[in-house]
Coordinates of all heavy atoms in Angstrom, one line a residue:
I1344 N 94.9 94.1 85.5 CA 96.2 93.7 86.1 C 95.9 92.7 87.3 O 95.0 93.0 88.1 CB 97.0 94.9 86.6 CG1 97.3 95.8 85.4 CG2 98.3 94.4 87.3 CD1 98.0 97.1 85.8
H1345 N 96.6 91.6 87.3 CA 96.5 90.6 88.4 C 97.7 90.7 89.1 O 98.8 90.5 88.7 CB 96.2 89.2 87.8 CG 96.0 88.2 88.8 ND1 97.1 87.5 89.2 CD2 95.0 87.8 89.5 CE1 96.7 86.6 90.1 NE2 95.4 86.8 90.3
T1346 N 97.6 90.8 90.5 CA 98.7 90.9 91.4 C 98.4 89.8 92.5 O 97.4 89.8 93.1 CB 99.0 92.2 92.0 OG1 99.1 93.1 90.9 CG2 100.1 92.3 92.9
Q1347 N 99.4 89.1 92.8 CA 99.4 88.1 94.0 C 99.7 88.9 95.2 O 100.8 89.5 95.3 CB 100.3 86.9 93.7 CG 100.3 86.0 94.8 CD 99.0 85.1 94.9 OE1 98.4 84.9 93.9 NE2 98.6 84.8 96.2
L1348 N 98.8 88.9 96.2 CA 99.1 89.5 97.5 C 99.3 88.4 98.5 O 98.6 87.4 98.5 CB 97.9 90.4 98.0 CG 97.7 91.6 97.1 CD1 96.4 92.3 97.6 CD2 98.8 92.5 97.1
N1349 N 100.3 88.6 99.3 CA 100.7 87.7 100.3 C 100.3 88.2 101.8 O 100.3 89.4 101.9 CB 102.1 87.2 100.3 CG 102.5 86.6 99.0 OD1 101.8 85.6 98.5 ND2 103.4 87.1 98.3
K1350 N 100.1 87.3 102.7 CA 99.8 87.7 104.1 C 100.9 88.6 104.5 O 102.1 88.4 104.4 CB 99.7 86.5 105.0 CG 99.3 86.9 106.4 CD 99.0 85.8 107.3 CE 98.6 86.3 108.6 NZ 98.1 85.3 109.5
G1351 N 100.6 89.8 105.1 CA 101.5 90.8 105.7 C 101.9 91.9 104.6 O 102.5 92.9 105.0
D1352 N 101.5 91.7 103.3 CA 101.7 92.8 102.3 C 100.9 94.0 102.7 O 99.9 93.9 103.3 CB 101.3 92.4 100.9 CG 102.3 91.4 100.3 OD1 103.4 91.1 100.8 OD2 101.9 90.8 99.3
M1353 N 101.4 95.2 102.4 CA 100.8 96.4 102.7 C 100.5 97.1 101.4 O 101.3 97.2 100.5 CB 101.6 97.3 103.6 CG 100.8 98.5 104.1 SD 101.9 99.7 105.2 CE 102.1 98.6 106.5
L1354 N 99.2 97.6 101.4 CA 98.9 98.5 100.2 C 98.7 99.9 100.6 O 98.2 100.2 101.7 CB 97.4 97.9 99.7 CG 97.3 96.5 99.2 CD1 95.9 96.1 99.0 CD2 98.2 96.2 98.0
L1355 N 99.0 100.8 99.6 CA 98.8 102.2 99.8 C 97.9 102.7 98.8 O 98.2 102.5 97.6 CB 100.2 102.9 99.8 CG 100.1 104.5 99.7 CD1 99.4 105.1 101.0 CD2 101.4 105.1 99.5
F1356 N 96.8 103.3 99.1 CA 95.9 104.0 98.2 C 96.0 105.4 98.4 O 96.0 105.9 99.6 CB 94.5 103.5 98.5 CG 94.3 102.0 98.3 CD1 94.3 101.2 99.5 CD2 94.0 101.5 97.1 CE1 94.2 99.9 99.3 CE2 93.9 100.1 97.0 CZ 93.9 99.2 98.1
Y1357 N 96.1 106.2 97.4 CA 96.2 107.7 97.5 C 95.7 108.3 96.3 O 95.6 107.8 95.2 CB 97.7 108.1 97.8 CG 98.6 107.9 96.7 CD1 98.9 108.8 95.7 CD2 99.3 106.6 96.5 CE1 99.8 108.5 94.6 CE2 100.1 106.3 95.5 CZ 100.3 107.3 94.6 OH 101.3 107.0 93.6
T1358 N 95.3 109.6 96.4 CA 94.8 110.3 95.2 C 96.0 111.1 94.7 O 96.9 111.4 95.5 CB 93.6 111.2 95.6 OG1 94.0 112.1 96.7 CG2 92.4 110.4 96.0
D1359 N 95.8 111.7 93.5 CA 96.9 112.5 92.9 C 97.1 113.8 93.7 O 98.2 114.4 93.5 CB 96.7 112.8 91.4 CG 95.4 113.6 91.2 OD1 94.6 113.9 92.1 OD2 95.1 114.0 90.1
G1360 N 96.2 114.2 94.5 CA 96.4 115.4 95.4 C 97.6 115.2 96.2 O 98.2 116.3 96.6
L1361 N 98.0 114.1 96.6 CA 99.2 113.8 97.4 C 100.5 114.0 96.6 O 101.4 114.9 97.0 CB 99.2 112.4 98.0 CG 100.3 112.0 98.9 CD1 100.2 112.5 100.3 CD2 100.5 110.5 99.0
T1362 N 100.6 113.4 95.5 CA 101.8 113.4 94.7 C 102.0 114.7 93.9 O 103.1 115.2 93.6 CB 102.0 112.3 93.8 OG1 100.8 112.2 93.0 CG2 102.2 111.0 94.5
E1363 N 100.8 115.4 93.6 CA 100.9 116.7 92.9 C 100.9 118.0 93.8 O 101.0 119.0 93.2 CB 99.7 116.7 91.9 CG 99.9 115.6 90.8 CD 98.7 115.6 89.9 OE1 97.8 116.4 90.0 OE2 98.7 114.7 88.9
Y1364 N 100.9 117.8 95.0 CA 100.9 118.8 96.0 C 102.3 119.5 95.8 O 103.3 118.9 96.0 CB 100.7 118.3 97.4 CG 100.2 119.4 98.3 CD1 99.0 119.3 98.9 CD2 101.0 120.5 98.8 CE1 98.5 120.3 99.9 CE2 100.6 121.4 99.6 CZ 99.3 121.3 100.1 OH 98.8 122.3 101.0
A1365 N 102.2 120.9 95.6 CA 103.5 121.6 95.5 C 103.7 122.5 96.7 O 102.8 123.0 97.2 CB 103.4 122.6 94.3
N1366 N 105.0 122.5 97.2 CA 105.4 123.3 98.3 C 105.5 124.8 97.9 O 105.3 125.1 96.7 CB 106.7 122.7 99.0 CG 107.8 122.8 98.1 OD1 107.9 123.4 97.1 ND2 108.9 122.1 98.5
S1367 N 106.1 125.5 98.8 CA 106.1 127.1 98.5 C 107.2 127.4 97.4 O 107.2 128.4 96.9 CB 106.4 127.8 99.8 OG 107.7 127.3 100.4
Q1368 N 108.1 126.4 97.2 CA 109.0 126.6 96.1 C 108.5 126.0 94.8 O 109.2 125.9 93.8 CB 110.4 125.9 96.4 CG 111.1 126.6 97.5 CD 110.7 126.2 98.9 OE1 110.3 125.1 99.1 NE2 110.6 127.2 99.7
N1369 N 107.3 125.6 94.8 CA 106.5 125.1 93.6 C 107.1 123.7 93.2 O 107.1 123.3 92.0 CB 106.5 126.1 92.5 CG 105.3 125.7 91.5 OD1 104.3 125.3 92.0 ND2 105.5 126.1 90.3
V1370 N 107.6 123.0 94.1 CA 108.1 121.6 93.8 C 107.1 120.6 94.3 O 106.6 120.7 95.4 CB 109.5 121.4 94.6 CG1 110.0 119.9 94.4 CG2 110.5 122.4 94.2
E1371 N 106.7 119.7 93.4 CA 105.7 118.7 93.7 C 106.3 117.6 94.7 O 107.5 117.3 94.6 CB 105.2 118.0 92.5 CG 104.3 118.9 91.7 CD 103.6 118.2 90.6 OE1 103.8 117.0 90.4 OE2 102.7 118.8 90.0
Y1372 N 105.4 117.1 95.5 CA 105.8 116.0 96.5 C 106.4 114.8 95.6 O 107.4 114.3 95.8 CB 104.6 115.6 97.3 CG 105.0 114.7 98.4 CD1 105.7 115.1 99.6 CD2 104.7 113.3 98.4 CE1 106.1 114.2 100.6 CE2 105.1 112.4 99.4 CZ 105.7 112.9 100.5 OH 106.1 112.0 101.5
G1373 N 105.6 114.4 94.6 CA 106.0 113.5 93.7 C 106.0 112.0 94.1 O 106.1 111.7 95.2
E1374 N 105.9 111.2 92.9 CA 105.9 109.7 93.2 C 107.3 109.2 93.6 O 107.4 108.3 94.4 CB 105.5 109.0 91.9 CG 104.0 109.2 91.7 CD 103.5 108.5 90.4 OE1 104.1 107.5 90.0 OE2 102.4 108.8 89.9
K1375 N 108.4 109.8 93.1 CA 109.7 109.4 93.5 C 109.9 109.5 95.0 O 110.4 108.6 95.7 CB 110.7 110.2 92.7 CG 112.1 109.7 93.0 CD 113.1 110.5 92.1 CE 114.6 110.0 92.4 NZ 115.5 110.8 91.6
R1376 N 109.5 110.7 95.5 CA 109.6 111.0 97.0 C 108.7 110.0 97.7 O 109.1 109.4 98.8 CB 109.3 112.4 97.3 CG 109.4 112.7 98.8 CD 109.1 114.2 99.1 NE 109.3 114.4 100.5 CZ 110.3 115.1 101.0 NH1 111.2 115.6 100.2 NH2 110.4 115.3 102.3
L1377 N 107.5 109.9 97.2 CA 106.6 109.0 97.9 C 107.1 107.5 98.0 O 107.1 106.9 99.1 CB 105.2 108.9 97.2 CG 104.1 107.9 97.7 CD1 103.8 108.3 99.1 CD2 102.9 108.0 96.8
R1378 N 107.7 107.0 97.0 CA 108.3 105.6 97.0 C 109.4 105.6 98.0 O 109.6 104.6 98.7 CB 108.7 105.2 95.6 CG 107.7 104.8 94.7 CD 108.2 104.1 93.4 NE 109.0 105.0 92.6 CZ 108.6 105.8 91.7 NH1 107.3 105.9 91.4 NH2 109.4 106.6 91.0
K1379 N 110.3 106.7 98.1 CA 111.4 106.7 99.0 C 110.8 106.7 100.5 O 111.4 106.0 101.3 CB 112.2 107.9 98.7 CG 113.4 108.0 99.7 CD 114.2 109.2 99.3 CE 115.4 109.4 100.3 NZ 116.2 110.6 100.0
V1380 N 109.8 107.5 100.7 CA 109.4 107.7 102.0 C 108.6 106.4 102.6 O 108.8 106.1 103.7 CB 108.4 108.9 102.1 CG1 107.7 109.0 103.5 CG2 109.2 110.1 101.9
I1381 N 107.9 105.7 101.7 CA 107.1 104.5 102.1 C 107.9 103.3 102.2 O 107.5 102.3 102.9 CB 105.9 104.3 101.2 CG1 106.3 103.9 99.8 CG2 104.9 105.4 101.3 CD1 105.1 103.3 99.0
A1382 N 109.1 103.3 101.7 CA 110.0 102.1 101.7 C 110.1 101.5 103.2 O 109.9 100.3 103.4 CB 111.4 102.3 101.1
P1383 N 110.5 102.4 104.2 CA 110.6 101.7 105.5 C 109.3 101.4 106.2 O 109.1 100.8 107.2 CB 111.2 102.9 106.4 CG 111.0 104.1 105.6 CD 110.9 103.7 104.1
C1384 N 108.1 101.8 105.5 CA 106.8 101.5 106.1 C 106.4 100.1 106.1 O 105.5 99.5 106.8 CB 105.7 102.3 105.3 SG 105.8 104.1 105.6
A1385 N 107.1 99.3 105.3 CA 106.8 97.8 105.2 C 106.9 97.1 106.6 O 106.2 96.2 106.8 CB 107.7 97.1 104.2
S1386 N 107.8 97.5 107.4 CA 108.0 96.9 108.7 C 107.2 97.6 109.8 O 107.3 97.2 111.0 CB 109.5 97.0 109.1 OG 109.9 98.3 109.2
M1387 N 106.3 98.6 109.5 CA 105.5 99.2 110.4 C 104.1 98.8 110.5 O 103.7 98.1 109.5 CB 105.5 100.8 110.1 CG 106.8 101.5 110.1 SD 106.6 103.2 109.7 CE 108.3 103.7 109.5
D1388 N 103.4 99.0 111.5 CA 101.9 98.7 111.5 C 101.3 99.9 110.7 O 101.9 100.9 110.4 CB 101.3 98.5 112.9 CG 101.2 99.7 113.8 OD1 101.1 100.8 113.3 OD2 101.5 99.6 114.9
V1389 N 100.0 99.7 110.3 CA 99.3 100.7 109.5 C 99.3 102.0 110.1 O 99.6 103.1 109.4 CB 97.9 100.1 109.2 CG1 97.1 101.1 108.5 CG2 97.9 98.8 108.4
D1390 N 98.9 102.2 111.4 CA 98.9 103.5 112.0 C 100.3 104.1 112.0 O 100.4 105.4 111.7 CB 98.5 103.3 113.5 CG 97.0 103.0 113.6 OD1 96.2 103.2 112.7 OD2 96.5 102.4 114.6
Q1391 N 101.3 103.4 112.3 CA 102.7 104.0 112.2 C 103.0 104.4 110.8 O 103.6 105.6 110.6 CB 103.7 103.0 112.7 CG 103.7 102.7 114.1 CD 104.7 101.5 114.5 OE1 104.8 100.5 113.8 NE2 105.4 101.7 115.6
A1392 N 102.6 103.6 109.8 CA 103.0 104.0 108.4 C 102.3 105.2 108.0 O 102.8 106.1 107.3 CB 102.6 102.8 107.6
I1393 N 101.0 105.4 108.3 CA 100.3 106.6 108.0 C 100.9 107.8 108.7 O 101.1 108.9 108.0 CB 98.7 106.5 108.4 CG1 98.1 105.5 107.5 CG2 98.1 107.8 108.3 CD1 96.7 105.1 107.8
S1394 N 101.2 107.7 110.0 CA 101.8 108.8 110.7 C 103.1 109.2 110.0 O 103.5 110.4 109.9 CB 102.0 108.5 112.2 OG 100.8 108.3 112.8
F1395 N 104.0 108.2 109.7 CA 105.3 108.4 109.1 C 105.2 109.1 107.8 O 105.8 110.1 107.6 CB 106.0 107.1 109.0 CG 107.4 107.1 108.5 CD1 108.4 107.5 109.3 CD2 107.7 106.9 107.1 CE1 109.8 107.6 108.9 CE2 109.0 107.0 106.7 CZ 110.0 107.3 107.6
L1396 N 104.3 108.7 106.9 CA 104.1 109.3 105.6 C 103.5 110.8 105.8 O 104.0 111.7 105.2 CB 103.3 108.5 104.8 CG 102.8 109.1 103.4 CD1 104.1 109.6 102.6 CD2 102.1 108.1 102.6
W1397 N 102.5 110.9 106.6 CA 101.8 112.1 106.8 C 102.8 113.2 107.4 O 102.8 114.4 107.0 CB 100.6 112.0 107.7 CG 99.8 113.2 107.7 CD1 99.6 114.1 108.7 CD2 99.0 113.7 106.6 NE1 98.8 115.2 108.3 CE2 98.4 114.9 107.0 CE3 98.8 113.3 105.2 CZ2 97.6 115.8 106.2 CZ3 98.0 114.1 104.4 CH2 97.5 115.3 104.9
N1398 N 103.6 112.8 108.4 CA 104.5 113.7 109.0 C 105.5 114.3 107.8 O 105.9 115.4 107.9 CB 105.3 113.0 110.1 CG 104.5 112.9 111.3 OD1 103.5 113.6 111.4 ND2 104.9 112.0 112.2
D1399 N 106.0 113.3 107.0 CA 106.9 113.7 105.9 C 106.2 114.7 105.0 O 106.8 115.7 104.6 CB 107.5 112.6 105.1 CG 108.5 113.0 104.1 OD1 109.6 113.3 104.4 OD2 108.2 112.9 102.9
F1400 N 105.0 114.4 104.6 CA 104.3 115.1 103.7 C 103.9 116.5 104.2 O 104.2 117.5 103.5 CB 102.9 114.4 103.3 CG 102.0 115.2 102.4 CD1 102.3 115.2 101.1 CD2 100.9 115.8 102.9 CE1 101.4 116.0 100.3 CE2 100.0 116.4 102.1 CZ 100.3 116.6 100.8
T1401 N 103.5 116.6 105.4 CA 103.2 117.9 105.9 C 104.5 118.7 106.2 O 104.4 120.0 106.0 CB 102.4 117.9 107.2 OG1 103.1 117.0 108.3 CG2 101.0 117.2 107.0
A1402 N 105.6 118.1 106.5 CA 106.9 118.9 106.6 C 107.3 119.4 105.3 O 107.8 120.5 105.1 CB 107.9 118.0 107.2
F1403 N 107.0 118.6 104.2 CA 107.5 119.0 102.9 C 106.5 120.2 102.4 O 107.1 121.1 101.8 CB 107.3 117.8 101.9 CG 107.5 118.2 100.5 CD1 108.8 118.2 100.0 CD2 106.5 118.5 99.6 CE1 109.0 118.5 98.6 CE2 106.7 118.8 98.3 CZ 108.0 118.8 97.8
C1404 N 105.3 120.1 102.6 CA 104.4 121.1 102.2 C 104.4 122.4 103.0 O 104.0 123.5 102.4 CB 103.0 120.5 102.1 SG 102.9 119.1 100.9
A1405 N 104.6 122.3 104.2 CA 104.7 123.4 105.2 C 103.4 124.3 105.0 O 102.4 123.8 105.2 CB 106.0 124.2 105.0
D1406 N 103.6 125.5 104.6 CA 102.5 126.4 104.6 C 101.8 126.6 103.2 O 101.0 127.5 103.0 CB 103.0 127.8 105.1 CG 103.2 127.8 106.6 OD1 102.7 126.9 107.3 OD2 104.2 128.6 107.0
A1407 N 102.3 125.8 102.2 CA 101.7 125.9 100.9 C 100.2 125.6 100.9 O 99.8 124.7 101.6 CB 102.4 124.9 100.0
P1408 N 99.4 126.4 100.2 CA 98.0 126.2 100.1 C 97.6 124.9 99.4 O 98.3 124.5 98.6 CB 97.4 127.4 99.4 CG 98.6 127.9 98.5 CD 99.8 127.6 99.3
Q1409 N 96.6 124.2 100.0 CA 96.0 123.0 99.4 C 95.1 123.4 98.2 O 94.2 124.1 98.3 CB 95.3 122.2 100.4 CG 94.7 120.9 99.9 CD 94.0 120.0 101.0 OE1 94.2 120.4 102.2 NE2 93.2 119.1 100.6
N1410 N 95.4 122.8 97.0 CA 94.6 123.0 95.8 C 93.8 121.8 95.3 O 93.2 122.0 94.3 CB 95.5 123.5 94.7 CG 96.2 124.8 95.1 OD1 95.6 125.7 95.7 ND2 97.5 124.9 94.8
D1411 N 93.9 120.7 96.0 CA 93.3 119.5 95.5 C 93.0 118.6 96.7 O 93.5 118.8 97.8 CB 94.2 118.8 94.6 CG 93.6 117.7 93.6 OD1 92.4 117.5 93.8 OD2 94.3 117.1 92.8
D1412 N 92.1 117.6 96.5 CA 91.8 116.7 97.5 C 93.1 115.8 97.8 O 93.9 115.7 96.9 CB 90.6 115.8 97.2 CG 90.9 114.9 96.1 OD1 91.2 115.3 94.9 OD2 90.9 113.7 96.3
I1413 N 93.2 115.3 99.1 CA 94.2 114.5 99.5 C 93.6 113.3 100.2 O 93.0 113.5 101.2 CB 95.2 115.1 100.4 CG1 95.9 116.3 99.6 CG2 96.3 114.2 100.9 CD1 96.6 117.2 100.6
T1414 N 93.7 112.1 99.7 CA 93.3 110.9 100.3 C 94.4 110.0 100.4 O 95.2 109.7 99.6 CB 92.1 110.2 99.5 OG1 91.1 111.1 99.3 CG2 91.6 109.0 100.2
L1415 N 94.6 109.3 101.6 CA 95.6 108.4 101.9 C 95.2 107.3 102.7 O 94.5 107.5 103.8 CB 96.7 109.2 102.7 CG 97.9 108.4 103.3 CD1 98.8 107.8 102.2 CD2 98.8 109.4 104.1
M1416 N 95.4 106.0 102.3 CA 95.0 104.8 103.1 C 95.9 103.7 102.9 O 96.3 103.4 101.8 CB 93.5 104.4 102.5 CG 93.0 103.3 103.4 SD 91.3 102.8 102.8 CE 91.6 102.0 101.3
F1417 N 96.4 103.2 104.0 CA 97.1 102.0 104.1 C 96.3 100.9 104.5 O 95.4 101.0 105.3 CB 98.3 102.1 105.1 CG 99.5 102.8 104.6 CD1 99.8 104.1 105.0 CD2 100.4 102.1 103.8 CE1 101.0 104.7 104.6 CE2 101.7 102.7 103.5 CZ 101.9 104.0 103.8
A1418 N 96.6 99.7 104.0 CA 95.8 98.5 104.3 C 96.8 97.3 104.3 O 97.7 97.2 103.4 CB 94.7 98.1 103.3
R1419 N 96.7 96.4 105.3 CA 97.6 95.3 105.4 C 96.8 94.0 105.1 O 95.7 93.9 105.6 CB 98.3 95.2 106.7 CG 99.3 94.0 106.7 CD 100.2 94.1 107.9 NE 101.1 95.3 108.2 CZ 102.1 95.6 107.5 NH1 102.7 94.8 106.6 NH2 102.9 96.7 107.9
V1420 N 97.3 93.1 104.3 CA 96.6 91.9 103.9 C 96.8 90.9 105.0 O 97.9 90.8 105.6 CB 97.2 91.3 102.6 CG1 96.6 90.1 102.2 CG2 97.0 92.4 101.5

């Protein structure tokens, strides 16, 4: 796949441990929620974007045990 990146574009790299993480009600964080949460990140710097996403993710998961690796990385072109 070839994608044109422009100056200022932001990339998000993550493992499936993020989207497949289930909370105490056994509901996965999911790609739909991830897309909704990262939408406002486009206007943030990388540190703000990571904090914003991580805060939402940890609030969603609360005390549910971690069963997979979680990797999250934002990069701006």
Side-chain angles (χ1 to χ4, degrees):
I1344 298 174
H1345 180 265
T1346 301
Q1347 178 71 35
L1348 298 174
N1349 298 308
K1350 185 175 180 166
D1352 286 349
M1353 188 181 295
L1354 301 172
L1355 170 62
F1356 301 94
Y1357 64 94
T1358 58
D1359 64 352
L1361 180 79
T1362 53
E1363 294 176 359
Y1364 200 112
N1366 64 15
S1367 59
Q1368 289 80 40
N1369 205 31
V1370 176
E1371 288 187 353
Y1372 191 75
E1374 290 184 21
K1375 183 177 180 180
R1376 182 183 181 102
L1377 177 60
R1378 283 191 299 272
K1379 181 179 176 184
V1380 171
I1381 66 170
C1384 292
S1386 62
M1387 299 177 188
D1388 67 37
V1389 171
D1390 290 335
Q1391 290 173 317
I1393 288 174
S1394 292
F1395 185 78
L1396 175 53
W1397 190 251
N1398 288 339
D1399 182 75
F1400 176 74
T1401 56
F1403 175 85
C1404 296
D1406 295 331
Q1409 182 177 342
N1410 297 319
D1411 198 355
D1412 66 296
I1413 300 169
T1414 302
L1415 172 65
M1416 182 177 75
F1417 275 102
R1419 186 167 304 275
V1420 177

